Amino acid sequence: MAIFKRSARDTTSQPTNDAVGAEVDGDVAADQAAEQPAEQAAAEQAPVETVPHVGISMSTFGAPAQPVAPTQPERTVTRPPAEAPDRTETVPGMPDNTLVQAALASLPEKPGNVDVMNVMRQSMQGTMYVRVRGDARALTAEGKPITLAVSQIDGARFLLAFTGGASLRASVEADGDRDTSALGIPVANVFRNAIEGPYEGLIIDHAVAGSRIVLPVQLITKAFEEGDPAFTIKNLLAGPRGPETAAAVGEALAQAPLWVAAGPAGDSGQLGLAESRTASGERRLEVYSHPLEVLVLQRGDRPVPVTAGQLGRALQSNPALSGVIVDPGGPWIHVDRADLGPVLARADDPDPAPAPAAPAAADAAATPEEPGAADA
């Protein structure tokens, strides 16, 4: 949690915004501030009326699918970089969330649903910053509630979040209020504040022209419900890589919610699961940490939830699979069988009890009994 210096100014009048001072003292405060309750203020930020706001259909991300067949037509794809962009600190002491910054920088002039979902999936890792009225360090030390910066668009309130020091400074320059400070907190806590507060969504980097967007609260809520609340796999993939990373991801695959990508149904009514092949001919089952990871690829696949036990049995039944590729949309990683011991150890897990039948819908089908491997 980086703290900004407070500028000398007359504080007798009530500020109209929560903002961040332009100079950084580089101090780091205790992480437990991220757990502090936040007393929200109805502040209004003038520059946010042009922030792209896209309506998202809130149908279930992971629609169930028919029993899976072990084939799917082979597809040629170009992989994005395996690792997240290099870490930067545009303001010393405040690491930038470069993965979210890259997603924002890639937004078209008029973002669509997929663009918003791409920012959402890349936001499920690391740290973002919020603006706090007053001295965050002192308030935290005294155990007092903090007031977070919000903005209003057509009467609707939105929580503000920032990817780093540069966007915070841009916010200061936009409103001129420097008698405040900033907190860097895990994105999970940012999302919880957005969900639990009286908000219509979250605005990221609102003062950075061409690189800002609204995440609707319905999308945040659904994304939070569908995935691992700790974002374990996403944090591993977004962080620095080392010799132990693949094994750590293999361990996480045995515990976290997982999805596979099911292609269109064939004549038999069964769906094939996506598989990738390396240049050297290795076959790997595609595994995803969140249904959004499937949807943003725009291949027409459905995200299908699977258990670690089902994944383990699929690997055992097909020795030709050399392992898995996790989150092919990037950041991604190859995990070999040698690092998938925790998953294979769960191959004997019983299948979960079947869910109650859902109402018929255009995009619904039945839960797969067991994932199979397919060419892709």
Side-chain angles (χ1 to χ4, degrees):
M1 180 181 72
I3 304 297
F4 280 77
K5 288 181 179 178
R6 303 177 68 193
S7 61
R9 63 189 292 267
D10 183 2
T11 58
T12 57
S13 60
Q14 182 71 14
T16 58
N17 299 274
D18 290 328
V20 178
E23 296 180 6
V24 177
D25 63 12
D27 291 343
V28 177
D31 289 340
Q32 51 263 40
E35 305 299 333
Q36 285 278 3
E39 178 183 303
Q40 312 302 338
E44 183 175 354
Q45 296 282 5
V48 302
E49 64 273 9
T50 58
V51 175
H53 190 184
V54 180
I56 298 291
S57 173
M58 295 316 299
S59 59
T60 303
F61 292 147
Q66 294 289 345
V68 176
T71 59
Q72 189 181 78
E74 186 169 346
R75 295 175 290 198
T76 301
V77 297
T78 301
R79 291 268 179 253
E83 299 188 30
D86 291 339
R87 295 198 169 189
T88 59
E89 289 188 6
T90 51
V91 171
M94 299 185 66
D96 299 320
N97 194 318
T98 54
L99 198 55
V100 180
Q101 288 176 345
L104 292 173
S106 69
L107 289 172
E109 183 177 353
K110 295 182 178 180
N113 283 1
V114 173
D115 302 304
V116 179
M117 289 190 289
N118 185 57
V119 174
M120 182 70 235
R121 72 161 184 120
Q122 297 293 42
S123 298
M124 293 189 285
Q125 52 75 36
T127 295
M128 282 199 283
Y129 300 89
V130 293
R131 296 169 62 176
V132 178
R133 173 168 295 163
D135 187 329
R137 180 183 295 280
L139 292 169
T140 300
E142 296 170 11
K144 294 182 178 179
I146 58 177
T147 302
L148 302 183
V150 303
S151 286
Q152 294 189 20
I153 303 176
D154 296 330
R157 300 174 69 195
F158 294 84
L159 183 63
L160 300 182
F162 304 87
T163 60
S167 57
L168 281 160
R169 282 182 167 171
S171 185
V172 172
E173 293 170 2
D175 59 48
D177 187 350
R178 302 174 185 273
D179 191 21
T180 54
S181 53
L183 294 176
I185 60 179
V187 293
N189 289 338
V190 177
F191 292 153
R192 287 192 184 99
N193 273 292
I195 293 169
E196 296 172 3
Y199 304 123
E200 295 299 317
L202 178 73
I203 304 178
I204 302 177
D205 289 356
H206 76 94
V208 182
S211 184
R212 57 195 178 192
I213 205 163
V214 170
L215 298 180
V217 70
Q218 297 93 338
L219 175 63
I220 297 172
T221 301
K222 189 65 177 176
F224 210 79
E225 291 173 350
E226 291 277 341
D228 169 18
F231 305 146
T232 306
I233 293 174
K234 195 70 173 177
N235 277 308
L236 287 169
L237 298 184
R241 302 285 176 93
E244 72 289 345
T245 303
V249 174
E251 181 70 36
L253 290 172
Q255 305 297 329
L258 303 174
W259 282 260
V260 289
D267 294 339
S268 66
Q270 294 182 317
L271 302 177
L273 298 190
E275 174 190 307
S276 72
R277 296 194 181 191
T278 66
S280 60
E282 292 181 331
R283 296 172 53 196
R284 297 177 182 273
L285 189 64
E286 294 183 1
V287 180
Y288 299 84
S289 64
H290 197 279
L292 286 175
E293 299 287 339
V294 179
L295 298 178
V296 297
L297 296 179
Q298 301 187 78
R299 302 186 310 197
D301 293 335
R302 295 178 183 273
V304 178
V306 296
T307 66
Q310 288 175 311
L311 179 58
R313 288 192 290 276
L315 291 168
Q316 282 188 346
S317 65
N318 195 333
L321 289 172
S322 61
V324 300
I325 178 172
V326 183
D327 287 354
W332 55 267
I333 192 171
H334 284 158
V335 184
D336 296 328
R337 282 181 175 270
D339 292 315
L340 289 170
V343 173
L344 294 169
R346 297 197 58 180
D348 293 331
D349 285 2
D351 283 330
D363 61 349
T367 303
E369 296 175 357
E370 179 109 4
D375 294 335

